[in-house]
């Protein structure tokens, strides 16, 4: 490791070094979860006509007299062209929600506020309760044609999909997904289906990283495992860096005798943006970059991998995808005092309870992932002189994915 | 519509009528986001051996004298079988994080707390600062073998995937995804790629529903569009109900002359659990069921569709998948007083701000989806005599997906 830097500086260096992904055109039904890169413009006003908001009768409000009777002269179902009431006084149209208001009507009275007299007559029940404009969603009252409804940098969810569909966009310009390689290291690791010898454990960090990225619909393009051998690791790393936008390694980067990765990355010509962050867990975190590829070296203890993935890698990915604004944080309050450090930031697992209460769920150590099942996410405790934070203190909550 | 029922009673009737999905076996790498149905049991203790938590030297703590010198007799890399220090006093092993502690050592001293003298000698810098057990993650200290680490009903995220991998589970028993049909209705609707006539609008509710379900990795198996024609609608509905576990309709269920759907569902022999909820938006919401299929009839106005989907359909889906516990709610406080009703629950769109502040972002009407882009989710305002809630009042926040 080199000199420890603060988590904030680490984040800053990552974001500064990352390239923005290029954009591509994508079929609308594949766009959920992606970041928009070109605006979606209203091709028609919203709504595109004077639209009835209720099922009932379209009338001219000024024609309501004390008796409130109207003659039904036409039907205005949704999906039919605009009707006319015509010149006959107290004419009305039976109208459906979503239908075009007859051009010479100015008010819709819902069924519930009328009484049907016979096949051609209805009566408005409370004649004084209705006025021009009632129950009408006016042409262009939400937005005029030509306005950008969705702007670049927005993450696309169900609402954005519906707006784009309304505007006739069956394709959108979105950020291309990065090509991601997930790389595990360490001779102590064996396959999931293997029966480990007493000194071995099964490989789990790579599939954990994959699962968290899948939550954001960012699939891994390749998996690799580096042996504890300098020359073989370097050759494999060279190929991975050439083929991918992002390489995420776990393990092999602390002070161990067999931790060749930092030397290999330096030798391959990547710039070390940092190696070592004043934080716990995850102190040996490193980040190397060149214009075409960024490499995260996550510490191999499972809780360190998990925490660094959530705190650094996922936000970096959304930054490189061009997301304009991160999600508004969920603020939580500690239900008990916690120990902090004066020299390190602590990422503390917490469980979430009613009224935004967070309960500390510290791990025994950063190898203890089982204990972390009791937490819902983590909070960030900055270093402080007092080496503690009291119950009631507020922090941003970061959920596990 | 029939008699209006409360949102709570509507939810209760939905959950009571829904069948639990059967379970199936799924490859571990496909399990993220799914609901576990059979426990994952530790096949070995966690951790499976006395594991070094640091890179450094394994020693016998009782052998630290005032001088603190030790002789390096062996290497203990991760992935190698257990070593021995042997009978020589002040013997130590150079050890890596994750390696097996030599059977006759009891303490690990990190590199940072030592000084290397030469190729065979090192010195512990602060002899009084080390004790038996230091920097050792003891065999079984997290969990014994045979214990259920993950229980049925848990939603599978990255941590659960890693735990399952550690236990050698390359497949898990999870809930089968329901077969879902999404059905739009209404002759006023045209395809996304069509140029609508003045009185037409493009179809967007179906793809909006699809996008929200995709967020939870619940794909739609079929899309259909029902014309405003009773006989044709009934025949199509019959086939959809026969082929799917869940049918989600939007539109065609209020009091309009052409709203045949409720009659068709009754005629097809489904039980109407309710039709009409004392809420705004979404008053005409309905729910029909038979043992093999459930049918939601969502009101067709986009905001009504979106709200009912989030409030009723998605929680119902997770219930039918066997999820044990819903997510802990995020509590927010209003930054301004809001109007409420004494007879209806209001689902109010809000934007989310720092410190869990929610700002009301009411729509002009339930056809106004563009305005809803300014919100991040919604809160539920129960009916109250005062017909208002003051600034500072707290509610659960429900994010849009």
């Amino acid at each position: 490791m080199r000199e420890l830097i603060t988590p904030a500086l680490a984040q800053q260096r990552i974001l500064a070094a990352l390239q923005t992904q290029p954009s591509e055109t994508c079929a609308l039904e594949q766009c959920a979860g992606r970041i928009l890169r070109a605006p979606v413009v209203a091709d028609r006003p919203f709504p595109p006509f004077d639209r009835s908001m209720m099922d009932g009768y379209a009338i001219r409000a000024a024609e309501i007299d004390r008796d409130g009777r109207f003659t039904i002269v036409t039907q205005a179902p949704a999906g039919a062209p605009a009707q006319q009431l015509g010149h006959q006084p107290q004419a009305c149209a039976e109208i459906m929600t979503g239908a075009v208001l007859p051009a010479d009507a100015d008010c819709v009275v819902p069924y519930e506020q009328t009484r049907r007299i016979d096949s051609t007559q209805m009566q408005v029940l409370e004649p004084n309760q209705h006025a021009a404009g009632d129950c009408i969603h006016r042409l262009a009252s939400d937005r005029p044609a030509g306005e950008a409804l969705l702007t670049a940098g927005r993450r696309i969810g169900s609402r954005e999909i519906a707006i784009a569909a309304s505007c006739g966009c069956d394709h959108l310009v979105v950020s291309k997904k990065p090509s991601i390689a997930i790389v595990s290291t360490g001779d102590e690791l064996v396959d999931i289906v293997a029966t480990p010898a007493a000194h071995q454990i099964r490989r789990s960090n790579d599939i954990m990283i994959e699962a968290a990225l899948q939550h954001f619909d960012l699939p891994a393009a390749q998996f690799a495992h580096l042996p504890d051998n300098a020359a073989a690791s370097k050759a494999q790393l060279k190929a991975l860096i050439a083929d991918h936008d992002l390489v995420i390694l776990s393990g092999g980067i602390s002070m161990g005798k067999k931790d060749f990765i930092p030397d290999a990355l330096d030798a391959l010509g990547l710039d070390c943006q940092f190696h070592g962050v004043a934080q716990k867990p995850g102190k040996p975190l490193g980040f190397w970059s060149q214009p075409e590829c960024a490499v995260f070296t996550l510490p191999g203890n499972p809780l360190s991998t998990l925490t660094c993935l959530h705190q650094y890698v996922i936000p970096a990915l959304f930054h490189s995808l061009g997301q304009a604004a991160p999600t508004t944080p969920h603020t939580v309050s500690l239900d008990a005092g916690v120990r902090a450090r004066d020299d390190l930031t602590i990422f503390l697992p917490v469980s979430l309870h009613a009224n935004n209460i967070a309960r500390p769920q510290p791990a025994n150590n950063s190898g203890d992932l089982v204990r972390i099942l009791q937490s819902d996410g983590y909070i960030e405790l900055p270093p402080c002189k007092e080496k503690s934070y009291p119950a009631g203190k507020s922090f941003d909550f970061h959920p596990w994915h």
Side-chain angles (χ1 to χ4, degrees), chain A:
Chain A
M1 282 189 283
R2 310 184 186 192
E3 201 188 345
L4 298 186
I5 66 171
T6 65
L9 186 55
Q11 186 124 40
Q12 196 179 311
R13 290 197 188 161
I14 292 167
L15 299 189
L18 277 181
Q19 306 285 313
T20 302
Q21 282 292 113
S23 59
E24 66 181 3
T25 297
C26 178
L28 184 61
E29 64 271 20
Q30 304 295 326
C31 284
R34 303 192 67 169
I35 305 294
L36 188 68
R37 291 291 283 277
V40 169
V41 175
D43 70 331
R44 310 166 75 196
F46 269 72
F49 47 78
D50 287 337
R51 181 179 163 279
S52 176
M53 287 162 58
M54 299 296 283
D55 297 319
Y57 300 96
I59 62 168
R60 290 179 281 249
E63 292 183 354
I64 308 179
D65 57 18
R66 283 178 57 190
D67 184 46
R69 285 183 188 238
F70 283 81
T71 305
I72 303 160
V73 298
T74 187
Q75 300 285 324
Q83 312 291 309
Q84 292 281 340
L85 298 184
H87 297 296
Q88 180 189 335
Q90 273 97 13
C92 74
E94 192 164 6
I95 195 165
M96 278 176 63
T97 304
V100 187
L101 186 74
D104 51 356
D106 61 11
C107 173
V108 170
V109 182
Y111 279 128
E112 299 90 311
Q113 296 165 27
T114 64
R115 185 175 72 86
R116 186 73 170 235
I117 296 167
D118 57 30
S119 65
T120 63
Q121 293 263 309
M122 71 90 179
Q123 187 177 19
V124 175
L125 292 179
E126 294 189 67
N128 297 326
Q129 298 299 308
H130 307 279
D134 281 4
C135 298
I136 297 168
H137 191 186
R138 280 285 177 204
L139 168 76
S141 59
D142 297 341
R143 288 293 188 286
E147 190 169 313
L149 302 180
L150 305 175
T151 52
R154 194 171 177 113
R155 185 149 184 240
I156 299 168
S158 58
R159 293 169 298 163
E160 290 79 6
I161 293 274
I163 295 285
S166 301
C167 296
C169 302
D170 64 333
H171 285 78
L172 295 178
V173 179
V174 297
S175 297
K176 199 161 177 258
K177 294 183 188 183
S179 173
I180 303 173
I182 299 177
V183 185
S184 57
T185 66
D187 284 350
E188 75 274 29
L189 302 180
V190 298
D191 277 346
I192 297 175
V193 291
T195 302
H199 59 280
Q200 295 175 322
I201 56 172
R202 298 189 183 93
R203 191 159 51 235
S204 60
N205 277 349
D206 50 358
I207 197 169
M208 176 172 76
I209 295 169
E210 181 196 24
L213 297 181
Q214 264 178 2
H215 177 80
F216 298 101
D217 213 8
L218 293 167
Q222 190 182 344
F223 289 86
H225 182 76
L226 301 185
D228 285 340
N229 169 307
S233 290
K234 188 176 160 192
Q236 273 202 57
L237 274 174
K238 186 177 177 179
L240 289 164
I241 288 164
D243 291 347
H244 300 286
D245 301 309
L246 184 67
V247 177
I248 306 172
L249 288 112
S250 79
I253 47 144
S254 56
M255 295 185 68
K257 274 274 159 185
K258 291 199 173 174
D259 292 345
F260 324 103
I261 311 287
D263 290 346
L265 293 170
D266 290 341
L268 289 168
L270 281 82
D271 294 321
C272 180
Q273 302 293 342
F274 62 84
H275 182 200
V277 179
Q279 64 186 11
K280 187 181 173 184
K283 203 197 277 186
L285 174 70
F287 180 69
W288 275 255
S289 68
Q290 63 180 32
E292 303 77 27
C293 185
V295 180
F296 283 96
T297 58
L298 308 185
N301 267 328
L303 179 57
S304 306
T305 306
L306 186 75
T307 304
C308 291
L309 181 70
H310 283 77
Q311 179 69 15
Y312 298 101
V313 182
I314 293 170
L317 274 166
F318 277 98
H319 179 83
S320 77
L321 291 170
Q323 187 175 32
T327 315
T328 304
H330 178 177
T331 307
V332 294
S333 300
L334 283 172
D335 81 338
V338 293
R339 275 186 291 179
R341 295 270 297 242
D342 59 358
D343 55 343
L344 298 178
T345 291
I346 301 216
F347 296 106
L348 178 70
V350 296
S351 54
L352 195 58
H353 303 271
N355 298 311
N356 303 321
I357 295 296
R359 184 164 304 150
Q361 300 285 358
N364 291 328
N365 59 71
S366 57
D368 176 13
L369 194 61
V370 177
R371 183 74 172 75
I372 300 310
L373 291 172
Q374 293 171 38
S375 66
D376 297 299
Y378 67 92
I379 59 175
E380 178 178 347
L381 306 175
C384 67
K385 265 189 305 195
E386 299 77 12
K387 298 191 185 179
S388 70
Y389 287 102
K393 175 85 179 163
S394 289
F395 297 91
D396 289 348
F397 173 74
H398 304 266
W400 303 125
H401 296 295

